[in-house]
Amino acid sequence: MSEQVVITGIGAICALGMSPAEILSAISAGHSALARVAGWSGAAAEALRAAPLDQLDPRRLVEDRKLHKRVRRTDLLGLYAAERAMAEARILESRAALDARLVEDFNDRTAVYSASGGSNYQTQYDFFSLMSEARGELKHFGQELSQVDPIWLLRELPNNVVCHVGIRHGFKGPNCCLVNHTSGGGCAISQALDALSDGEADRAVVVAHDTPVEPQTLLYFDALGLLTKSQPRPFDSRHDGIALGDGAAAMVLETRSSAERRGAQILGTILSVGFASEAAGLLAIRADGEGPARASEQALAAAGLDADDIGTVIAHGNGGPNSDDSEAAALVRIFGSRQPPTTSFKWACGHLLAAAGMIDTVLAVECLRHSELPGIATFEKPSDASATLRLSPAAQSLGNSTALILSRGFGSFNAAVIVNAPHARNC
Amino acid sequence: MNIPPRRVAITGIGMVTPLGNEAGSTWTSLIQGRSGIDTIRSFDASGFATSIGAEVKDFDAEQRIGDRKLLKLTTRSHRFALAAAAEALADAAVAPTPATSSRWGCISGSGMMGVAYSELLRTQRRFAPAGEFDVRAMFEAGSPAADPMEFCRSQANAGVALLSHRFNITGFCNSVNTACASGGQAVGAALKMIRRGRADYALAGGFDSMLNPLGLGSFCLLGALSTDNETPARASRPFDRTRNGFVLGEGAAFLVLEEMSLALRRGARIYAELAGDGNSLSSYRITDSHPSGDGPIQAMRAAMRDAGIEPGQVDYINAHGTSTQMNDRSECAAIRAVFGPDADRVNVSSTKSMMGHLIAAAGAVEAAVSALVIRHGAMPINANLEQDDPDCDLRFVRDRTLSEPVRAVLSNSFGFGGSNSCLALRKSE
C-alpha cells in the first residue's frame, strides 16, 4: 500500500498579501489587487489592469542581498513562498534535532519541485544597449559582449528556485523544475505525490512562481484578445477576459509516517492529481470541457471518490468566456444537478499563470481549515453555460472538507487536484 | 498479493543531431567516430570568443514535417522535436489512436524560452533604438510584434503543446527545464509515469537549440565554452588533461516508451528496457558539482537501486562528460565512489566528444544512444582523449568502437543548478 501524502506547511504571496491567511481575508473582504500599473504610460497602458509585485522591496522576500542580483524577481517570490511553507512545517527544526549521522539521510530524502513560468521577455532587454551599439553587426556584438552581466544566463535559468532551495538548505533528493504554464502547479504536485507515495523521498518542498506582469507579455495577451477591458468576472454573463498577476505559492508535502514521526502539524492531505490534454494546440481549447472533465474523473478515480464526495470546487475560473464556459460544461458533466459550492480567486489576485494552480491549492487548504469559501465579488448573473453552477458574489458554506481544484493552461493542458483538510478548531 | 511492478520498454527512437538528421545516420557517425563540430555557419559568430559549434546540418523542416501552417508556430528547436518525435513513432510502429490517446503521455526536456534573435532585434529597433527600453513607445504602438505568432513560439511549453497536438497525445504532458539535466529527467519522469499507471505509452525526450547570438553569447560570458576555434573537431575532449570547456550543440531526440507487456504482446522490437531512474540535487554551486562527486553519486546509486542492478552488471556508462575541468573530474570521482573496484572494468565514454553538448536535449539524445549501444553491442569512442588526466582514470573507450555484448548501461546528465539525472537501461530478456 502506498503512503498517504500530507501537507505540513503552506506559503503564498501575491499582490493581495504575503501569506495564505492575508490573501484569503482580502478576497473574503471583496478586495481586488487589479489596478492600472504605476509607471506604465502610453495609449494601450490606460486600459490594462494587472496585479504586479514589482514595487516590493526584495529584502522583504529574501534577506540575502547577494541573491537579489543573481536571480530574477520571480525566483525571489518562489523562494519567499518556499521559506514560509518550510517555516510553518518546521522541517529545519526537526532536522536540527536529529542525531548528526541522520542528517545526511534527511537531506537525501528531501525533494524539491518547482513549477516555473520560464523566462521573462524583459530580461532579454539587457542586450538592447549592446544591440543598439552593434547596429546589427554580429561581429561587433560578439566582440563587445562583456558589456553584459557575465552571469546573465544564470539569472535566466528557469530552475533557480530548485537550485537555491537546495543550496540554502542542503536538500539533495529527487527534484524537478517544470515549465508547463498554468497546469504546471498540478504537474509539480503530481510529481511530488508520486515520489513520496512510492517511497523515493520522505518530504518535498513544492513551489510555483511566475511574474507575467511585464509590458510585452501584457500586450501579446491583449493582441490575442485574452485580456478583460474592465475586470475579470469568472462565469458571469459579462465575462470578457482575464487579468494577470505576479505571485508564488508553496507547500511542504510529506509522507504521513514522516510527519507523524516528527510530530508535525498536519494541515491536510493530497488525495490525488489528474491530468488531461485536449491536444488542441497552444491556445485553442475544446468547447465541451472534455479536458477538465477527464482530469477530474481521473483524480476522483485515483482517490477512490465519487463526485458526491467533493464538497467544494476551486475553479480555474479565469474570466475568459471560452475558458469559463467550457469549464462550466466540465463541471456539469461531473456533478450534473448536484453542484458543490464553487468559487474562483482570479478576479482578485489576477491570473498568476504558472503559479495559479499552486496558489489555488494553497488557498483551498486555507478555506477548508477555516470553513470559509469566499464568493466572486465581480459575479452578478451567470453566463448561460454556468447557469447550474453554485456560484455567488457572497461567501458560501462549504459542503465538506474535500475540495477539487482545477487549473487549465496553454497547450490545452488541464490538471485536477483533490485535497482534504479538516477544520482547524483552534485557529 | 504482490503485483509485479510495471516495466517499460524502449520501442522507438528518433533523433536530429549534429551527427545526422535521423537516428540511423547519427548512430553511424558515432560508430565511425566522426565529429559534428565545425565553425558556426548559421550566423556570423566570428566576433565571439567561441565561433565553433555542433550545428544540425541541412535539415529540411518542410520535407520532414510537411505541415506548413504548423511550421509557422515553431522555432528551430521545435522543428527538431517534431521531426525526431515523428521518426520515433514511425520506428516503434505504434501511435496514439482515438482509443489509446488518453493512455499516451508526453514529457520533454525543453530549452529556455526566448524570442529568436531577429525578432529581438526588431523589438530593440522599435522600442530601444538608443539602447534604453522605452516602455511608453511600446504601449503607444499597442503591439510588441508585427507577427503575433512570435508570442506562441516563445511560450515555454510551446514544444510539448505542439507535440501533444500534432500526435494527438491526450494524457499527461509536461515540460522539464533543469538545464542540462532536462532530457534525462524527462525520460526518467516518463518511466515513473508509466510504472505508476498514469500512462501506458510515452513520447519522451528533449529538444534544444541555443546556437544563436544570445545563446552562444551567454555561454561565452560564463567562460564555459572551448575557444579552440582553429581545431573544431578536437575542441570537445572530455576527460583529456587539456580540456578547456564544452562545445555548444543543438538537436532533439525522442523515445517511444511502452509498458512492457503491451510491447511484448504486439511483438514490438525492443531496443532495451528502461529500467531505472535516479534523480538528485547537488546543492553545491550553480555551475559546478562537488569535486567529491556528491550529488551525481546519489543519482547513480538511485538509478541502479531503482533498476535492481549492481555495479558488476553495468558494462557501459554514457558519461555526462562535458569537457569542462570541473564536471569531468567530479563525474570520475562519482563513478569511482559508486563502482568501487568495478570502476576499472566498466567502459566509459562521452559522446559529447563528437556531437557537442545539446543542453536540454543532451540527456534524451544520450538515452537514445545508450539504447542503441545495448541493441547493437557497440560502444562509441570518447574522441580526442589523448593526454591522460590523473583525476580521470577510468576505462575509457578509446581509438575505436568497442564491440561487445552490453548487459546494462548508465546514462548521466548533470545540469546547471545542480539537478542530476542518471538513467539505467538493460538488455531486454
Side-chain angles (χ1 to χ4, degrees), chain A residues 2 39-45 48 108 112 117-121 124-125 127-129 131-132 135-136 138-139 141-143 145-146 148-154 156-160 162-164 166-167 170-181 187 190-191 193-194 197-198 200 215-217 219-221 224 273-283 294 298 410-411 413, chain B residues 43-44 46-49 102 112-115 117 120-121 123-125 127-133 135-136 138-140 142-145 147-148 150-158 160-161 164-165 168-179 185 189 192 196 198 210 213-214 216-222 277 279-287 294 298 416-420:
Chain A
S2 62
W40 288 3
S41 59
L48 292 175
D108 284 346
V112 188
S119 309
N120 288 102
Y121 291 103
Q124 297 187 321
Y125 302 172
F127 284 87
F128 277 178
S129 163
M131 290 167 82
S132 163
R135 297 172 183 280
L138 276 175
K139 185 162 185 169
F141 179 90
Q143 282 165 339
L145 260 175
S146 60
V148 181
D149 180 4
I151 61 156
W152 183 85
L153 183 69
L154 303 183
E156 191 74 358
L157 290 175
N159 52 324
N160 265 330
V162 169
C163 165
H164 286 286
I167 289 177
F171 302 148
K172 295 180 183 173
N175 64 89
C176 188
C177 166
L178 49 96
V179 179
N180 212 9
H181 204 251
C187 288
S190 160
Q191 280 202 308
L193 176 67
D194 288 358
S197 51
D198 285 349
E200 289 170 38
Q216 197 166 345
T217 300
L219 285 168
Y220 278 134
F221 269 81
L224 290 164
V273 183
F275 188 99
S277 163
E278 295 175 3
L282 190 75
L283 301 176
R294 186 156 46 86
Q298 219 181 73
F410 280 2
F413 299 152
Chain B
F43 64 95
D44 178 8
S46 62
F48 293 70
S102 69
M112 283 161 60
M113 163 210 140
V115 296
Y117 180 77
L120 189 68
L121 193 61
T123 307
Q124 180 263 317
R125 283 176 173 159
F127 306 122
E132 189 73 22
F133 173 60
V135 62
R136 188 184 169 88
M138 188 181 263
F139 280 119
E140 285 296 344
S143 165
D147 177 9
E150 201 175 287
F151 173 73
C152 299
R153 289 190 293 267
S154 64
Q155 287 302 298
N157 76 337
V160 71
S164 163
H165 176 53
N168 192 33
I169 293 172
T170 62
F172 190 86
C173 296
N174 195 7
S175 174
V176 174
N177 291 60
T178 42
Q185 283 200 340
K192 300 269 167 69
R196 185 81 196 165
R198 288 191 184 273
M210 293 185 80
L214 248 58
L216 180 71
S218 57
F219 279 114
C220 282
L221 282 166
L222 284 173
D277 167 53
N279 175 350
S280 72
L281 194 58
S282 287
S283 295
Y284 177 59
R285 291 180 187 160
I286 309 208
T287 52
D294 184 46
Q298 290 91 322
F416 275 2
S419 291
N420 306 300

Side-chain angles (χ1 to χ4, degrees), chain A residues 9 47 98 114 135 140 164 169 172 202 256 282 305 322 418 421:
Chain A
L98 288 175
S114 81
R135 297 172 183 280
H140 183 87
H164 286 286
H169 302 298
K172 295 180 183 173
D202 295 328
R256 181 173 285 279
L282 190 75
L305 298 179
N322 295 338
I418 300 179

Side-chain angles (χ1 to χ4, degrees), chain B residues 321-345:
Chain B
T322 55
S323 186
T324 62
Q325 283 292 334
M326 275 307 301
N327 171 79
D328 294 1
R329 191 187 314 150
S330 161
E331 185 171 13
C332 289
I335 291 171
R336 280 242 158 250
V338 171
F339 278 75
D342 276 301
D344 294 320
R345 181 198 54 80

